[in-house]
């Protein structure tokens, strides 16, 4: 990332400041006692004013209220987020920073102001605007931008019942080296393949009934449906059938960009693998490649490909 | 309530990841980084961690238990560090100033080692 590009992004982000960010969005459900009970259970809050009608009646509230810190809960989208056309300000801002590699996100600050307590039956509407965008800044997590939004919550009569200032950090993840122990053991169907890799062989599954090769390993022949199979050891010669050059999102531990190809094996089936020992921009369809066993960023040996010598 | 008054309580002795799952369901914050070990690790974290608003909610409970839920007007939190499974959540409050009918309270959440998780402040009416 050059200074110029950072400045340009910072400038572009300023265009969002002071403008609507999201909403107005009406809560899916009114404030209700079952969710209040779930919340107080989850928080371990045993104040009976949230759950005991007769106690709450005698309190200053005159009835059950929701915990103040539940302000932002009622307008959450739920497990299945609403579909977006990608053109709303939030989607545009997020894709703008994501595109520059600031793919990490963490909440850093939350300030809530309560105008009144929420009661069962209140139907909230939230609208938000971008208050400020600052950055790029160096943080413990990596370089990033702080995005502060101001949410205003209104009830069914339009009265403002609360406000929330929420700040997130969108950051470029620093790249921790994944541990070798993170690698899962191979499933039964592909154990022969990984044992081959350890032995320095590229083993390709072959149907014992019709002789058709297949990769990646799977239990059934796609051609004759036989479950019987053995394997051949590939010669390691092939050519690039298709490829991509990966720039973003950044993959922890890897150097970018890198090329990933679909390689046609001389024996007849295809396999996906990294193309290494070459400038990614020099990879071409039809290029001859040869097998090389090389460690990936996790220290795992993988069959990879380099230009044929 | 007067300036310099303090209050402290261990709100949770040992944080359990089931708490993150319960809070996800109750709050609608379903970000898998808080409950999926695989997802959290793939994002570079050692394991899952509490929703910031969960810990803020626990701090809110601590505050309302102390001053009465009818008296809190403003509540501000800064998420300083993640809260991990098996840690304790200890909340502290100190009255920093008392004005006309209201007071400003400084708030702090730490784990059992005194490592800061949240700092914040609140306005409460008297």
């Amino acid at each position: 990332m050059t200074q110029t590009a950072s400045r340009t992004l910072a400038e572009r982000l300023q265009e969002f400041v002071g403008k609507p960010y999201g909403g107005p969005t009406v809560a899916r459900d009114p404030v209700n006692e079952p969710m209040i009970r779930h919340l107080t259970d989850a928080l371990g809050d045993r104040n009976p004013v949230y759950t005991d009608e007769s106690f709450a009646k005698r309190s200053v509230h005159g009835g059950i209220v929701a915990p103040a810190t539940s302000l932002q809960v009622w307008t959450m989208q739920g497990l299945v987020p609403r579909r977006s056309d990608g053109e709303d300000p939030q989607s545009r801002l997020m894709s703008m920073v994501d595109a520059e590699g600031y793919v990490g996100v963490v909440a850093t600050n939350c300030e809530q102001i309560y105008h009144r307590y929420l009661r069962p039956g209140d139907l909230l509407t939230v609208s938000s605007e971008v208050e400020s965008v600052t950055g790029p800044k160096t943080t413990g997590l990596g370089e990033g931008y702080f995005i502060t939004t101001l949410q205003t919550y209104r009830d069914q009569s339009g009265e403002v019942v609360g406000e929330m200032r929420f700040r997130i950090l969108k950051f470029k993840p620093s790249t921790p080296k994944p541990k070798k122990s993170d690698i899962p053991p191979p499933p039964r169907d592909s154990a022969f393949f990984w044992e081959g890799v350890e032995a320095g062989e590229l083993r390709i599954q072959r149907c014992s009934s019709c002789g058709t090769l297949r990769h990646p390993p799977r239990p059934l022949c796609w051609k004759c449906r036989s479950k019987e199979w053995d394997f051949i050891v590939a010669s390691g010669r092939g050519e690039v059938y298709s490829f991509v050059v990966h720039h973003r999102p950044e993959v922890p531990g890897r150097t970018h960009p890198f090329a990933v190809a679909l390689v046609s094996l001389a024996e007849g089936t295809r396999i996906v693998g990294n193309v290494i020992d070459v400038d990614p921009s020099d990879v071409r369809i039809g290029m001859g490649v040869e097998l090389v066993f090389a460690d990936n960023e996790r220290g795992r040996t993988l069959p990879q490909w380099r230009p044929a010598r | 309530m007067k300036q310099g008054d303090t209050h402290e309580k261990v709100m949770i002795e040992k944080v359990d990841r089931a708490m993150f799952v319960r809070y996800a369901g109750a709050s609608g914050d379903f970000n898998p980084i808080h409950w999926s070990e695989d997802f959290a690790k793939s994002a570079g974290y050692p394991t899952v961690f509490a929703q910031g608003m969960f810990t803020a909610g626990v701090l809110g409970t601590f505050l309302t238990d102390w001053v009465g839920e009818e008296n809190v007007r403003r509540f501000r939190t800064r998420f300083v560090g993640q809260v991990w499974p098996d840690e304790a959540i200890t909340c502290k409050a100190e009255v920093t100033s008392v004005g006309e009918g209201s007071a400003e309270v400084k708030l702090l959440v730490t784990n059992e080692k005194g490592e800061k998780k949240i700092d914040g402040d609140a306005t409460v009416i008297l």
Side-chain angles (χ1 to χ4, degrees), chain A residues 199-222:
Chain A
E201 293 180 351
L202 178 58
R203 294 178 179 174
I204 299 295
Q205 208 176 13
R206 176 174 62 186
C207 175
S208 308
S209 301
C210 73
T212 304
L213 297 178
R214 61 182 192 258
H215 186 85
R218 47 199 182 275
L220 204 65
C221 175
W222 58 268

Side-chain angles (χ1 to χ4, degrees), chain A residues 51-64:
Chain A
T51 51
D52 180 338
E53 182 64 41
S54 60
F55 179 93
K57 270 214 171 79
R58 297 192 304 272
S59 74
V60 293
H61 306 289
I64 282 179

Side-chain angles (χ1 to χ4, degrees), chain A residues 80-239:
Chain A
V80 184
R82 290 181 192 92
R83 287 172 67 177
S84 157
D85 58 7
E87 291 303 311
D88 60 288
Q90 181 167 1
S91 305
R92 284 195 296 116
L93 193 157
M94 287 300 151
S95 53
M96 201 179 273
V97 288
D98 285 348
E100 299 281 344
Y102 299 91
V103 294
V105 62
V106 64
T108 62
N109 300 70
C110 174
E111 178 178 11
Q112 297 187 332
I113 298 164
Y114 313 118
H115 294 241
R116 73 162 172 84
Y117 265 82
L118 303 179
R119 297 169 181 282
D122 279 334
L123 186 64
L124 298 195
T125 299
V126 63
S127 48
S128 63
E129 69 166 56
V130 179
E131 190 175 69
S132 67
V133 180
T134 57
K137 291 201 167 166
T138 307
T139 77
L141 292 166
E143 184 186 275
Y145 285 85
F146 287 98
I147 300 160
T148 307
T149 56
L150 188 62
Q151 277 68 226
T152 305
Y153 298 88
R154 292 186 162 79
D155 68 9
Q156 52 283 358
S157 66
E159 180 201 353
V160 175
V161 293
E163 295 157 77
M164 177 170 78
R165 183 174 283 112
F166 203 76
R167 184 171 300 142
I168 61 168
L169 171 66
K170 285 287 288 177
F171 61 96
K172 275 188 189 175
S174 48
T175 54
K177 270 252 182 325
K179 295 193 298 288
K180 201 161 188 170
S181 59
D182 292 346
I183 299 166
R188 202 174 48 190
D189 287 332
S190 58
F192 79 95
F193 176 84
W194 296 109
E195 286 158 14
V197 170
E198 265 180 42
E201 293 180 351
L202 178 58
R203 294 178 179 174
I204 299 295
Q205 208 176 13
R206 176 174 62 186
C207 175
S208 308
S209 301
C210 73
T212 304
L213 297 178
R214 61 182 192 258
H215 186 85
R218 47 199 182 275
L220 204 65
C221 175
W222 58 268
K223 200 162 187 182
C224 75
R225 299 182 200 165
S226 167
K227 292 179 190 164
E228 302 303 315
W229 58 269
D230 56 8
F231 61 82
I232 61 157
V233 176
S235 64
R237 286 177 293 111
E239 65 177 49

Side-chain angles (χ1 to χ4, degrees), chain B residues 17-34:
Chain B
R17 61 188 66 206
M19 293 170 180
F20 313 156
V21 175
R22 286 204 295 263
Y23 186 77
S27 71
D29 182 349
F30 294 106
N31 187 337
I33 206 159
H34 301 302

